[in-house]
Amino acid sequence: MNDDIAARMDRLPLTALHGLALVLCTVGFLVDLIEIGLGTVLASVFSSGSGRLPAAELSLLLSSVYVGAIVGAPLLGAAADRVGRRLVMMGVLALLALTSLAGGLSPDTLTLTRARGLSGLALGAFPPLMMSYLTDVLPPARRGRCILVVTGAATLGLPAGVFVVRWLTPMDLGIEPWRLAFLAGAAASAVVAGLYALLPESPRWLASRGRLAEAQALCERFERSRPWTSGPDPASAGDAPAASASSMSSMPSLPATAPGWPRIAALFLLGAWSTVTFPLLTGAVLAAKGFNLSDTLLYLGLSTLGPTVGTLVASLWIDRLERRVALGICCAVLLVAGAAFVATGEAAWLVASSFLFGVFAVIYAAGINIYAAELFPTHRRAGSLATAWAFNRLGAAIAPLVLLPLLRNEGPLAMFGVIALCLVLNIALLASSPRGRERRAVA
């Protein structure tokens, strides 16, 4: 029966019920990324004016969300395997609502840091939970394209928070604009958590837990839903069929024993210094260059449109190159764009270089996950990839503690020198890493 449920879900066209799942996942991921983007706002606000914090305090504030993510992702991911994807995603969004409320009302930096750390539990867990859920319910022929659309639309949340805070900054509202952004985020998270009651649970997950009657009923609900497409995408013909949920769940997970795993873990660790921390600190770099808060937030808002563009660009060409080549190109562009950003003081060049950095940072982040997932054998893939992801979150937590004091004491060029070293080491590791698998395009 488990295999039957999986096969029936795989044969489905995209339906209106799939559409509901895609819309709700997009909105949930959008809220998640708005909260992530507010970290850049905090870096800008507390790097200038009367609110300027000592480097050590600001480093802890910026790192706290990633420390929370290191803990939250594996714990809540395991919970989702036990009690269900939908229920845990609802709980994650409810937790985010509470912690955002606490952040917006925090009386001091220490309380804000603690609130951000607790928010990290949710912010680190939601993306893999969402990916797991969509992988469960979407037909394989449309899965990748749909997930890219969800991701691309949701990345608009990164500039949304920045622009809202910038818009509110000149107004005399009796409360700091960043606090209003957190309070608005809390309200949005609570509303979306309630909307997730409409989300159908994964029939695959229900079948894997032995709840066959519920799995059968939900599978029939998908089958009765109005089709959006007529059938499998012809471009996917010839692809290997996806493993069923039941067969994959029976395979052992051996996280750190796959060939080449140490190099992959190192790539995830080093990649965080450029793809996560450099965008996080761009506001602090602009403040160090003497830009006022309003201009800083404008440049940040424009540059954070890059991830949306990057996701769409990646969908066009990333499968046409061997994975290591694509990742190496990304590292080279990040080196040039980052160097241009820290070296210039012209507004147009600042926006252009940070925009370009954002585009290739998101392509690299997607590409390294694809490379690692394709490299590891199926029965070890989830454990190996999850452990490597933990190294990425570790790098994201450590990097601000090192880079922000360096920025304050030695300047932007010295800070970027460390990031450039990480990118050069990335390229060297890619050259000595196992060859990535290639997917041949089918006409």
Side-chain angles (χ1 to χ4, degrees):
M1 177 65 77
N2 290 9
D3 290 339
D4 178 59
I5 294 291
R8 288 165 61 187
M9 293 295 293
D10 285 350
R11 288 196 299 267
L12 285 171
L14 278 182
T15 69
L17 195 55
H18 288 117
L20 174 65
L22 290 169
V23 168
L24 289 178
C25 284
T26 300
V27 174
F29 199 19
L30 180 74
V31 170
D32 181 275
L33 291 179
I34 287 174
E35 290 278 344
I36 290 289
L38 288 178
T40 305
V41 171
L42 294 177
S44 303
V45 169
F46 293 118
S47 292
S48 57
S50 60
R52 181 182 171 93
L53 290 176
E57 283 188 48
L58 184 53
S59 297
L60 287 174
L61 174 60
L62 299 180
S63 294
S64 59
V65 69
Y66 298 107
V67 174
I70 293 169
V71 178
L75 285 180
L76 293 169
D81 283 337
R82 289 195 297 270
V83 303
R85 318 292 196 220
R86 183 187 68 168
L87 183 60
V88 175
M89 284 194 290
M90 288 177 67
V92 162
L93 289 166
L95 173 62
L96 185 57
L98 292 173
T99 56
S100 295
L101 179 63
L105 299 177
S106 56
D108 51 49
T109 306
L110 179 59
T111 305
L112 178 60
T113 300
R114 289 170 176 168
R116 287 294 282 172
L118 292 173
S119 289
L121 296 173
L123 295 172
F126 186 85
L129 288 175
M130 181 198 73
M131 293 294 182
S132 298
Y133 174 77
L134 291 177
T135 300
D136 278 357
V137 301
L138 291 172
R142 307 280 181 173
R143 187 179 294 152
R145 188 177 306 169
C146 287
I147 290 176
L148 279 176
V149 169
V150 168
T151 303
T155 53
L156 291 172
L158 292 169
V162 176
F163 278 126
V164 167
V165 174
R166 181 181 184 272
W167 174 61
L168 294 173
T169 295
M171 302 181 185
D172 185 11
L173 301 171
I175 183 174
E176 295 98 327
W178 65 265
R179 291 184 184 273
L180 285 177
F182 276 112
L183 296 177
S189 298
V191 170
V192 178
L195 290 175
Y196 268 49
L198 302 174
L199 200 67
E201 183 53 271
S202 161
R204 293 178 193 265
W205 176 80
L206 289 167
S208 73
R209 300 296 294 179
R211 297 162 60 176
L212 300 181
E214 294 172 80
Q216 175 78 9
L218 266 179
C219 189
E220 290 174 356
R221 185 181 167 194
F222 273 98
E223 290 168 339
R224 291 194 304 268
S225 184
R226 179 172 57 84
W228 278 8
T229 59
S230 58
D233 190 338
S236 67
D239 285 354
S244 70
S246 58
S247 63
M248 290 183 70
S249 65
S250 64
M251 294 178 179
S253 176
L254 303 174
T257 57
W261 188 90
R263 286 189 180 91
I264 302 304
L267 287 170
F268 273 84
L269 177 67
L270 291 169
W273 290 66
S274 54
T275 61
V276 178
T277 306
F278 186 77
L280 179 67
L281 293 180
T282 51
V285 172
L286 290 171
K289 288 175 176 285
F291 289 92
N292 63 41
L293 182 58
S294 180
D295 287 344
T296 293
L297 293 176
L298 174 62
Y299 300 152
L300 288 176
L302 293 173
S303 67
T304 49
L305 293 170
T308 300
V309 177
T311 304
L312 298 177
V313 171
S315 69
L316 297 176
W317 62 264
I318 198 167
D319 285 334
R320 299 178 183 273
L321 296 174
E322 198 268 318
R323 302 303 189 201
R324 295 178 305 163
V325 174
L327 292 170
I329 291 172
C330 288
C331 289
V333 175
L334 291 174
L335 273 170
V336 174
F341 181 81
V342 299
T344 188
E346 296 293 327
W349 281 106
L350 286 168
V351 172
S353 58
S354 58
F355 183 90
L356 187 65
F357 196 99
V359 169
F360 281 86
V362 78
I363 294 173
Y364 181 90
I368 190 65
N369 279 281
I370 295 170
Y371 170 62
E374 292 176 345
L375 187 67
F376 298 134
T378 301
H379 65 286
R380 296 177 180 175
R381 184 170 296 151
S384 296
L385 190 57
T387 308
W389 178 249
F391 277 82
N392 179 272
R393 300 296 86 182
L394 178 63
I398 293 172
L401 302 176
V402 176
L403 296 178
L404 188 60
L406 192 61
L407 171 65
R408 291 277 181 87
N409 297 328
E410 303 296 335
L413 286 173
M415 182 204 75
F416 185 72
V418 176
I419 294 173
L421 176 61
C422 291
L423 287 168
V424 170
L425 290 174
N426 260 359
I427 294 172
L429 281 171
L430 285 167
S432 61
S433 294
R435 182 178 176 83
R437 298 178 184 176
E438 295 177 89
R439 296 176 62 188
R440 182 173 300 172
V442 179

